[in-house]
Amino acid sequence: MPGAMTLAEIARRLGGRVAGDPTIRVHQVGSLENARPGDISFLSSRRFKARLATTQASAVILSQEFEDLTPLPRIVCEAPYLYFARVSQLFNPLTMQAAGVHPGAVLGEGVTLGEAVSIGAGCIIGDGVSIGEGTCLYPRVVVYPRCFIGKRTIVHSGAVIGADGFGIARDASGWVKIPQIGGVRIGDDVEIGANTTIDRGAIDDTVIEEGVKLDNQIQIGHNVRVGAHTAMAGCVAVAGSADIGRDCTIGAAAVILGHLQIVDGVHVSAGTVISRSVRQPGTYTGMFPFDDNESWARNTALVRHLAELADRVRELERKENAK
C-alpha cells in the first residue's frame, strides 16, 4: 500500500482546494461513521451531515456548499464522491491477476489473445474467440465461440458470454428452437460482474459498447445493444433486442422489456419496469412504494379500481356539464 500523503500533495495530484491544515497526513479512506485517525472521508449529501460532527476521520472531502459544516481539515471540490474515488485509487491501486493463461483454463481452436491478457483458472474460451490486450477474465468465466472482447475489459467469475438467447417458435407439438447464429461484441474498458450473462444474437451480434459497467447477476438478452458508458446495477434484466443509449444508468432489479429503444442520458430507478420506449432523456421511476402488508393490500385494491373510478368521475362531469 502507498505511504501517507498530505492534503496538499493530494490536491496537487487531483485538484481541489485545501481548507485548514494542508500538512495533515492521511493514509487510507474511510466512511464518516467508521473512519479512524489517519483516514480521509467524504460528504456528498446533506442527509449525512450529522455523521460529520462525530467522525474520527483526520480530514474530509466535500463541496463548497458544505465547507463550513466542519472545522476538520478538508479538500473542497465540485464532485466529492468522484474525488473520493480517485483518492481511494491513490491508496488502493487497482490490481488484477497476473497476465497469462492459467493451466486450468481451456482454450478452443483459433482463439486470439492480445498482449498481457489474463485468463484465470477454470475459464473456458470457445473457438474463434478474440480477447483484446490487457483484458482480465477471473476464474470460471465461460466465453462461447465466436465472441469478441475488447481491450482492458474485466470479466468477473461466473460470467457467461455468448450462451444462446431465448429464441423459440411455437408449433402444434411444442417449441421449435431458433438457432442463435450471432455473436457477442464487447468494447474496450468494459466491466462485467460476477454471474452476469450476455446472450449471443439470434442473427446479428449482441453489442456492449466501450466503457459500459455491468454489476453482478445481470441478464442481457440476445441482440441487445448497450450504449457506451452506461452503467447497470445488480439483477437488472434486459429482454431481447432492446436498444439502450449512451450514458444511461439502470438501477438495481429494473426490467427493460424487449424491442424497446431508450435514448442517451436516461436514468431508470431501481425496481422500475420499462414497458415502452423512452424518447427523452431524464429520470424514470415506476415503483409501487412498500408498506405494512395490510396497508399495501388496501392500497393495491384501490389501484385496481382506478380505471373504474375515472370512468365514474367522467360520467359525473358529463352530467354536471349537461345541466
Side-chain angles (χ1 to χ4, degrees):
M1 181 182 295
M5 299 177 65
T6 67
L7 298 189
E9 290 170 332
I10 293 172
R12 278 197 295 271
R13 289 197 187 195
L14 302 179
R17 171 173 58 84
V18 177
D21 185 356
T23 67
I24 289 292
R25 300 177 70 83
V26 293
H27 60 82
Q28 188 53 278
V29 295
S31 62
L32 285 172
E33 58 267 44
N34 294 320
R36 297 171 294 182
D39 292 347
I40 184 169
S41 191
F42 73 100
L43 176 71
S44 60
S45 172
R46 184 173 292 277
R47 70 177 184 268
F48 300 124
K49 70 176 184 178
R51 300 176 187 177
L52 190 60
T54 59
T55 187
Q56 296 299 304
S58 295
V60 292
I61 303 161
L62 36 64
S63 66
Q64 185 174 349
E65 176 186 3
F66 303 136
E67 180 178 357
D68 296 333
L69 294 180
T70 179
L72 286 172
R74 51 214 180 272
I75 296 178
V76 183
C77 60
E78 292 185 0
Y81 188 61
L82 176 60
Y83 199 101
F84 162 78
R86 290 174 173 156
V87 172
S88 186
Q89 287 186 356
L90 288 179
F91 295 124
N92 307 279
L94 300 178
T95 59
M96 291 188 291
Q97 61 191 9
V101 179
H102 190 279
V106 177
L107 273 61
E109 296 182 0
V111 171
T112 302
L113 303 180
E115 294 185 6
V117 165
S118 174
I119 298 179
C123 288
I124 299 177
I125 311 300
D127 296 347
V129 167
S130 176
I131 301 176
E133 66 182 61
T135 284
C136 174
L137 274 59
Y138 282 104
R140 301 184 308 281
V141 168
V142 176
V143 184
Y144 279 63
R146 304 186 314 282
C147 292
F148 175 90
I149 302 175
K151 302 174 183 177
R152 300 176 302 278
T153 284
I154 300 170
V155 186
H156 289 280
S157 293
V160 177
I161 298 170
D164 280 358
F166 193 56
I168 52 177
R170 184 78 176 183
D171 72 3
S173 61
W175 295 102
V176 177
K177 182 177 177 63
I178 300 172
Q180 305 289 286
I181 62 174
V184 175
R185 297 189 63 82
I186 296 172
D188 298 340
D189 302 302
V190 170
E191 184 159 1
I192 298 169
N195 294 323
T196 284
T197 55
I198 303 174
D199 292 344
R200 68 192 313 109
I203 299 176
D204 301 320
D205 292 342
T206 301
V207 177
I208 310 296
E209 294 184 353
E210 69 273 12
V212 167
K213 307 301 180 185
L214 302 179
D215 197 2
N216 301 332
Q217 298 180 334
I218 288 173
Q219 159 65 16
I220 303 293
H222 59 184
N223 297 107
V224 166
R225 181 189 75 92
V226 179
H229 308 293
T230 284
M232 297 185 186
C235 298
V236 166
V238 183
S241 299
D243 189 330
I244 300 171
R246 300 169 60 98
D247 300 306
C248 296
T249 58
I250 314 297
V255 175
I256 298 172
L257 301 188
H259 299 273
L260 302 183
Q261 182 177 11
I262 297 177
V263 299
D264 298 347
V266 167
H267 307 288
V268 177
S269 299
T272 297
V273 177
I274 299 297
S275 57
R276 63 180 187 275
S277 291
V278 179
R279 308 292 187 185
Q280 297 293 330
T283 300
Y284 295 82
T285 305
M287 294 177 288
F288 193 93
F290 82 95
D291 207 338
D292 66 88
N293 186 259
E294 182 179 352
S295 298
W296 181 89
R298 183 171 61 251
N299 290 332
T300 301
L302 292 173
V303 168
R304 287 202 300 265
H305 294 288
L306 282 178
E308 177 186 336
L309 291 172
D311 290 341
R312 292 173 62 185
V313 169
R314 281 193 291 268
E315 179 63 19
L316 290 171
E317 290 175 340
R318 186 189 64 78
K319 290 179 179 178
E320 183 66 24
N321 293 332
K323 290 180 179 180

mmCIF file of all heavy atoms in Angstrom, residues 264-287:
data_model
loop_
_atom_site.group_PDB
_atom_site.id
_atom_site.type_symbol
_atom_site.label_atom_id
_atom_site.label_comp_id
_atom_site.label_asym_id
_atom_site.label_seq_id
_atom_site.Cartn_x
_atom_site.Cartn_y
_atom_site.Cartn_z
ATOM 1 N N ASP A 264 -30.126 8.247 -25.246
ATOM 2 C CA ASP A 264 -28.982 8.575 -24.403
ATOM 3 C C ASP A 264 -29.433 9.369 -23.173
ATOM 4 O O ASP A 264 -30.406 10.139 -23.220
ATOM 5 C CB ASP A 264 -27.983 9.433 -25.185
ATOM 6 C CG ASP A 264 -27.408 8.735 -26.401
ATOM 7 O OD1 ASP A 264 -27.586 7.510 -26.525
ATOM 8 O OD2 ASP A 264 -26.778 9.425 -27.230
ATOM 9 N N GLY A 265 -28.708 9.213 -22.070
ATOM 10 C CA GLY A 265 -28.921 10.043 -20.902
ATOM 11 C C GLY A 265 -30.175 9.750 -20.114
ATOM 12 O O GLY A 265 -30.708 10.632 -19.445
ATOM 13 N N VAL A 266 -30.633 8.501 -20.136
ATOM 14 C CA VAL A 266 -31.814 8.103 -19.366
ATOM 15 C C VAL A 266 -31.365 7.434 -18.071
ATOM 16 O O VAL A 266 -30.436 6.630 -18.067
ATOM 17 C CB VAL A 266 -32.713 7.156 -20.187
ATOM 18 C CG1 VAL A 266 -33.754 6.482 -19.300
ATOM 19 C CG2 VAL A 266 -33.389 7.918 -21.314
ATOM 20 N N HIS A 267 -32.061 7.746 -16.972
ATOM 21 C CA HIS A 267 -31.740 7.166 -15.673
ATOM 22 C C HIS A 267 -32.982 6.462 -15.144
ATOM 23 O O HIS A 267 -34.018 7.094 -14.923
ATOM 24 C CB HIS A 267 -31.271 8.256 -14.711
ATOM 25 C CG HIS A 267 -30.156 9.077 -15.284
ATOM 26 N ND1 HIS A 267 -28.875 8.596 -15.448
ATOM 27 C CD2 HIS A 267 -30.150 10.342 -15.791
ATOM 28 C CE1 HIS A 267 -28.121 9.512 -16.004
ATOM 29 N NE2 HIS A 267 -28.880 10.588 -16.220
ATOM 30 N N VAL A 268 -32.879 5.151 -14.971
ATOM 31 C CA VAL A 268 -34.007 4.320 -14.555
ATOM 32 C C VAL A 268 -33.825 3.962 -13.085
ATOM 33 O O VAL A 268 -32.797 3.407 -12.691
ATOM 34 C CB VAL A 268 -34.089 3.044 -15.416
ATOM 35 C CG1 VAL A 268 -35.225 2.147 -14.932
ATOM 36 C CG2 VAL A 268 -34.277 3.412 -16.888
ATOM 37 N N SER A 269 -34.834 4.261 -12.265
ATOM 38 C CA SER A 269 -34.746 3.987 -10.828
ATOM 39 C C SER A 269 -34.820 2.490 -10.550
ATOM 40 O O SER A 269 -35.352 1.710 -11.349
ATOM 41 C CB SER A 269 -35.883 4.694 -10.097
ATOM 42 O OG SER A 269 -35.803 6.094 -10.277
ATOM 43 N N ALA A 270 -34.316 2.094 -9.400
ATOM 44 C CA ALA A 270 -34.317 0.682 -9.005
ATOM 45 C C ALA A 270 -35.737 0.129 -8.998
ATOM 46 O O ALA A 270 -36.690 0.808 -8.608
ATOM 47 C CB ALA A 270 -33.702 0.541 -7.618
ATOM 48 N N GLY A 271 -35.873 -1.105 -9.446
ATOM 49 C CA GLY A 271 -37.151 -1.798 -9.404
ATOM 50 C C GLY A 271 -38.167 -1.351 -10.431
ATOM 51 O O GLY A 271 -39.309 -1.831 -10.421
ATOM 52 N N THR A 272 -37.782 -0.481 -11.343
ATOM 53 C CA THR A 272 -38.714 0.046 -12.342
ATOM 54 C C THR A 272 -38.821 -0.907 -13.531
ATOM 55 O O THR A 272 -37.823 -1.483 -13.968
ATOM 56 C CB THR A 272 -38.240 1.427 -12.821
ATOM 57 O OG1 THR A 272 -38.264 2.327 -11.712
ATOM 58 C CG2 THR A 272 -39.113 1.979 -13.937
ATOM 59 N N VAL A 273 -40.025 -1.069 -14.051
ATOM 60 C CA VAL A 273 -40.244 -1.847 -15.271
ATOM 61 C C VAL A 273 -40.456 -0.866 -16.424
ATOM 62 O O VAL A 273 -41.405 -0.080 -16.402
ATOM 63 C CB VAL A 273 -41.461 -2.782 -15.134
ATOM 64 C CG1 VAL A 273 -41.707 -3.517 -16.447
ATOM 65 C CG2 VAL A 273 -41.245 -3.777 -13.998
ATOM 66 N N ILE A 274 -39.562 -0.924 -17.403
ATOM 67 C CA ILE A 274 -39.698 -0.081 -18.592
ATOM 68 C C ILE A 274 -40.460 -0.883 -19.635
ATOM 69 O O ILE A 274 -39.944 -1.849 -20.195
ATOM 70 C CB ILE A 274 -38.320 0.352 -19.126
ATOM 71 C CG1 ILE A 274 -37.573 1.172 -18.078
ATOM 72 C CG2 ILE A 274 -38.475 1.150 -20.418
ATOM 73 C CD1 ILE A 274 -38.222 2.466 -17.704
ATOM 74 N N SER A 275 -41.694 -0.480 -19.880
ATOM 75 C CA SER A 275 -42.584 -1.250 -20.757
ATOM 76 C C SER A 275 -42.866 -0.555 -22.079
ATOM 77 O O SER A 275 -43.613 -1.077 -22.898
ATOM 78 C CB SER A 275 -43.908 -1.526 -20.036
ATOM 79 O OG SER A 275 -44.511 -0.313 -19.630
ATOM 80 N N ARG A 276 -42.300 0.623 -22.282
ATOM 81 C CA ARG A 276 -42.425 1.295 -23.576
ATOM 82 C C ARG A 276 -41.140 2.072 -23.835
ATOM 83 O O ARG A 276 -40.374 2.347 -22.898
ATOM 84 C CB ARG A 276 -43.625 2.238 -23.604
ATOM 85 C CG ARG A 276 -43.564 3.394 -22.631
ATOM 86 C CD ARG A 276 -44.806 4.268 -22.731
ATOM 87 N NE ARG A 276 -44.696 5.463 -21.920
ATOM 88 C CZ ARG A 276 -44.991 5.548 -20.635
ATOM 89 N NH1 ARG A 276 -45.431 4.462 -19.998
ATOM 90 N NH2 ARG A 276 -44.859 6.678 -19.974
ATOM 91 N N SER A 277 -40.895 2.429 -25.071
ATOM 92 C CA SER A 277 -39.667 3.137 -25.415
ATOM 93 C C SER A 277 -39.592 4.484 -24.713
ATOM 94 O O SER A 277 -40.606 5.135 -24.471
ATOM 95 C CB SER A 277 -39.578 3.330 -26.928
ATOM 96 O OG SER A 277 -39.375 2.086 -27.579
ATOM 97 N N VAL A 278 -38.385 4.894 -24.383
ATOM 98 C CA VAL A 278 -38.145 6.177 -23.727
ATOM 99 C C VAL A 278 -37.458 7.086 -24.730
ATOM 100 O O VAL A 278 -36.324 6.830 -25.140
ATOM 101 C CB VAL A 278 -37.275 5.989 -22.463
ATOM 102 C CG1 VAL A 278 -37.012 7.335 -21.793
ATOM 103 C CG2 VAL A 278 -37.941 5.021 -21.492
ATOM 104 N N ARG A 279 -38.153 8.158 -25.124
ATOM 105 C CA ARG A 279 -37.698 9.012 -26.221
ATOM 106 C C ARG A 279 -36.997 10.273 -25.757
ATOM 107 O O ARG A 279 -36.413 10.987 -26.564
ATOM 108 C CB ARG A 279 -38.893 9.416 -27.097
ATOM 109 C CG ARG A 279 -39.755 8.251 -27.579
ATOM 110 C CD ARG A 279 -39.039 7.378 -28.558
ATOM 111 N NE ARG A 279 -39.925 6.353 -29.133
ATOM 112 C CZ ARG A 279 -39.527 5.394 -29.950
ATOM 113 N NH1 ARG A 279 -38.251 5.313 -30.294
ATOM 114 N NH2 ARG A 279 -40.386 4.506 -30.436
ATOM 115 N N GLN A 280 -37.093 10.589 -24.452
ATOM 116 C CA GLN A 280 -36.493 11.814 -23.931
ATOM 117 C C GLN A 280 -35.570 11.472 -22.769
ATOM 118 O O GLN A 280 -35.893 10.632 -21.932
ATOM 119 C CB GLN A 280 -37.580 12.782 -23.450
ATOM 120 C CG GLN A 280 -38.524 13.273 -24.544
ATOM 121 C CD GLN A 280 -37.822 14.164 -25.553
ATOM 122 O OE1 GLN A 280 -36.866 14.863 -25.220
ATOM 123 N NE2 GLN A 280 -38.284 14.126 -26.798
ATOM 124 N N PRO A 281 -34.402 12.144 -22.666
ATOM 125 C CA PRO A 281 -33.544 11.917 -21.511
ATOM 126 C C PRO A 281 -34.233 12.348 -20.223
ATOM 127 O O PRO A 281 -35.160 13.163 -20.245
ATOM 128 C CB PRO A 281 -32.319 12.799 -21.795
ATOM 129 C CG PRO A 281 -32.489 13.378 -23.131
ATOM 130 C CD PRO A 281 -33.875 13.128 -23.604
ATOM 131 N N GLY A 282 -33.780 11.799 -19.109
ATOM 132 C CA GLY A 282 -34.367 12.146 -17.812
ATOM 133 C C GLY A 282 -34.391 10.943 -16.900
ATOM 134 O O GLY A 282 -33.850 9.884 -17.223
ATOM 135 N N THR A 283 -35.022 11.113 -15.749
ATOM 136 C CA THR A 283 -35.128 10.053 -14.755
ATOM 137 C C THR A 283 -36.531 9.480 -14.765
ATOM 138 O O THR A 283 -37.511 10.232 -14.761
ATOM 139 C CB THR A 283 -34.793 10.588 -13.355
ATOM 140 O OG1 THR A 283 -33.441 11.100 -13.363
ATOM 141 C CG2 THR A 283 -34.909 9.497 -12.298
ATOM 142 N N TYR A 284 -36.619 8.153 -14.778
ATOM 143 C CA TYR A 284 -37.905 7.464 -14.877
ATOM 144 C C TYR A 284 -38.037 6.481 -13.716
ATOM 145 O O TYR A 284 -37.132 5.694 -13.447
ATOM 146 C CB TYR A 284 -38.029 6.735 -16.216
ATOM 147 C CG TYR A 284 -38.060 7.701 -17.377
ATOM 148 C CD1 TYR A 284 -36.881 8.232 -17.912
ATOM 149 C CD2 TYR A 284 -39.268 8.115 -17.929
ATOM 150 C CE1 TYR A 284 -36.907 9.133 -18.959
ATOM 151 C CE2 TYR A 284 -39.303 9.014 -18.984
ATOM 152 C CZ TYR A 284 -38.122 9.529 -19.487
ATOM 153 O OH TYR A 284 -38.154 10.432 -20.521
ATOM 154 N N THR A 285 -39.191 6.531 -13.051
ATOM 155 C CA THR A 285 -39.431 5.718 -11.862
ATOM 156 C C THR A 285 -40.808 5.081 -11.950
ATOM 157 O O THR A 285 -41.774 5.765 -12.316
ATOM 158 C CB THR A 285 -39.347 6.574 -10.581
ATOM 159 O OG1 THR A 285 -38.076 7.236 -10.558
ATOM 160 C CG2 THR A 285 -39.508 5.721 -9.334
ATOM 161 N N GLY A 286 -40.906 3.803 -11.619
ATOM 162 C CA GLY A 286 -42.193 3.131 -11.695
ATOM 163 C C GLY A 286 -42.420 2.180 -10.543
ATOM 164 O O GLY A 286 -43.046 1.147 -10.706
ATOM 165 N N MET A 287 -41.944 2.522 -9.362
ATOM 166 C CA MET A 287 -42.069 1.629 -8.211
ATOM 167 C C MET A 287 -43.371 1.885 -7.468
ATOM 168 O O MET A 287 -43.833 3.012 -7.381
ATOM 169 C CB MET A 287 -40.903 1.840 -7.248
ATOM 170 C CG MET A 287 -39.557 1.447 -7.809
ATOM 171 S SD MET A 287 -38.228 1.824 -6.640
ATOM 172 C CE MET A 287 -38.203 3.618 -6.746
#
